[in-house]
């Protein structure tokens, strides 16, 4: 029986709550596993009697598998239907989780994590496009805001949960907890997710299907290796292969009549401006998301579990702000949400830039709430804005495009921040040595405790300097946010008020 989308006046959030829960469950477990394994690596070194460099591929393999499959997710949704692709991805991810809990050798764990990543890479972009299509345009901000809760909450809760499981139970439970979530997602999704009608895909972009995954996976790998050294063979090979593949991919996509990713949409000034603001905003956000946990663990000596608990106010603030930001997006558009959100993040970064060796968790509660509220205010509204700027029949392809680029930007942000932190800490160490030499002090005569204190002081100063730099990045994003245009008001956009052809019959 045909099922049409309800009009704005008739729409009720409760009417899509159950299918929305299925998508949220799938997205939550995938995003959760993106951060959970970082905590367990030291334990895996002991259990598998393997070097950390080998086990790092448990994280890297997962990331590369996701980066390689994300560009394909839009085409797969158009070709086979979003429901089929989403549920298949959840099945693959859940099977991968079961297998990840079983191995006694590191090589098998890495292989099963790659399988997990291949499934997980499709879940977020397909789920995002699915949710976007479930509601009329005037309500899409609210619905996307609810869907965004697991996107920000899962990375925050991941270290807490995995730290507790590793410390008091077993690292295998990190994967076993996915099984009931995956089953619930599949049971609800198979019954309640509206069946999406397959689009008429005129052909297959075979060259794009090779070059796209190669380009984004190689770039993600290359920039992630830049955290260790930008001149290492791994970094240079990854970046070289990635850039060559990306150039060839762009040329192929513009020439193809049936491109894998619809890059022509970048000719839209509104869309390109939105992408640029999103990249800068992500960079600014990572100054808070990535650097503060590193400060707590490296400079203050917090364990993973205590670090996760300290960061919880940020996750709570994000979760509370997401639905509110969705309502505001439907009323006022994205511009002031981005400006205010990045301003809050800038304020949080300013407070982070004054941390020292005496900083306690309670001292960070206010900036953590500010940062969480800022993220919740802008992350999903920015994604929704980009989808609004795309033609309705390209929504699946746009989520593939934006998520592919986000993978690279996230890796680039982490590597750049590590590079800046290392550089500033080295500069601070040189300043301290010069000051000590001027005062006639010799490091060789210093006590071990004094040397340890000096090393921690230098590291803290390096963190302070890096936080200072990221303030200007976030403020720059806020200024650019003023360029964002709302466009048509909710009910006046013909691309969304009509029943969309990709949706849905049950």
């Amino acid at each position: 029986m045909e099922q049409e989308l309800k009009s704005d006046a008739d729409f009720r959030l409760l009417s899509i709550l159950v299918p929305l829960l299925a998508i949220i469950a799938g997205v939550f477990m995938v995003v959760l596993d993106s951060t959970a394994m970082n905590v367990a690596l030291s334990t895996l070194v002991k259990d598998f009697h393997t070097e950390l460099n080998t086990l790092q591929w448990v994280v890297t393999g997962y990331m590369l598998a996701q980066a390689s499959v994300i560009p394909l997710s839009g085409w797969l949704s158009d070709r086979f239907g979003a429901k089929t692709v989403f549920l298949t991805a959840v099945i693959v991810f859940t099977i991968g989780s079961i297998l990840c809990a079983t191995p006694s050798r590191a090589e098998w764990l890495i292989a099963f994590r790659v399988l997990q990543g291949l499934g997980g890479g499709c879940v977020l972009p397909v789920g995002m496009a699915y949710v976007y299509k479930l509601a009329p345009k005037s309500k899409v901000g609210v619905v996307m805001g609810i869907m965004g809760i697991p996107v920000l909450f899962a990375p925050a809760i991941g270290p807490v949960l995995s730290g507790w499981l590793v410390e008091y139970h077993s690292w295998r439970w990190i994967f076993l907890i996915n099984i009931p979530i995956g089953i619930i997602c599949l049971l609800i999704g198979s019954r309640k997710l509206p069946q999406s009608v397959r689009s008429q895909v005129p052909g297959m972009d075979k060259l794009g299907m090779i070059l796209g995954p190669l380009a984004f996976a190689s770039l993600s790998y290359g920039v992630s290796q830049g955290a260790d050294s930008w001149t290492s063979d791994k970094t240079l090979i990854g970046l070289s292969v990635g850039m060559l593949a990306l150039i060839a991919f762009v040329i192929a996509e513009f020439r193809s009549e049936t491109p894998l990713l619809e890059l022509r949409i970048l000719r839209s000034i509104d869309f390109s401006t939105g992408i640029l603001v999103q990249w800068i905003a992500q960079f600014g956000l990572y100054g808070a998301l990535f650097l503060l946990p590193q400060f707590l663990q490296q400079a203050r000596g917090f364990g993973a579990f205590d670090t996760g608990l300290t960061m919880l106010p940020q996750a709570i603030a994000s979760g509370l702000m997401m639905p509110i930001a969705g309502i505001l997006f439907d009323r006022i558009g994205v511009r002031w949400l981005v400006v205010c959100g990045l301003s809050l993040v800038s304020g949080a970064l300013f407070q982070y830039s004054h941390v020292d060796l005496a900083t306690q968790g309670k001292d960070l509660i206010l900036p953590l709430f500010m940062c969480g509220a800022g993220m919740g205010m802008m992350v999903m509204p920015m994604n929704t804005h980009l989808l609004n700027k795309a033609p309705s029949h390209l929504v699946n392809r746009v989520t593939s495009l934006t998520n592919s680029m986000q993978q690279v930007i996230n890796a680039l942000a982490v590597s750049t921040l590590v590079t800046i932190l290392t550089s500033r800490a080295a500069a601070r160490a040189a300043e301290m040595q010069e000051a000590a030499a001027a005062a006639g002090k010799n490091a060789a005569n210093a006590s071990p405790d004094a040397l340890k204190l000096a090393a921690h002081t230098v590291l803290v100063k390096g963190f302070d300097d890096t936080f200072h730099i990221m303030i200007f990045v976030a403020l720059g994003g806020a200024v650019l946010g003023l360029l964002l245009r709302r466009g048509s008001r909710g009910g006046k956009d013909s691309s969304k008020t009509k029943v969309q052809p990709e949706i849905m019959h049950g």
Side-chain angles (χ1 to χ4, degrees), residues 237-266:
I237 291 172
L239 291 177
S240 299
V241 172
M243 287 304 299
L244 290 173
L246 182 63
I247 293 170
F249 176 67
V250 171
I251 294 172
E253 294 306 277
F254 277 114
R255 289 182 176 179
S256 175
E257 295 181 1
T258 57
L260 179 69
L261 296 181
E262 187 51 81
L263 300 181
R264 293 177 181 88
I265 195 172
L266 294 174

Side-chain angles (χ1 to χ4, degrees), residues 282-304:
Q282 277 182 263
F283 230 99
L285 287 178
Y286 262 76
L289 284 174
F290 173 75
L291 278 180
L292 187 62
Q294 298 303 313
F295 163 77
L296 293 173
Q297 293 186 31
Q298 294 182 33
R300 293 291 294 113
F302 283 32

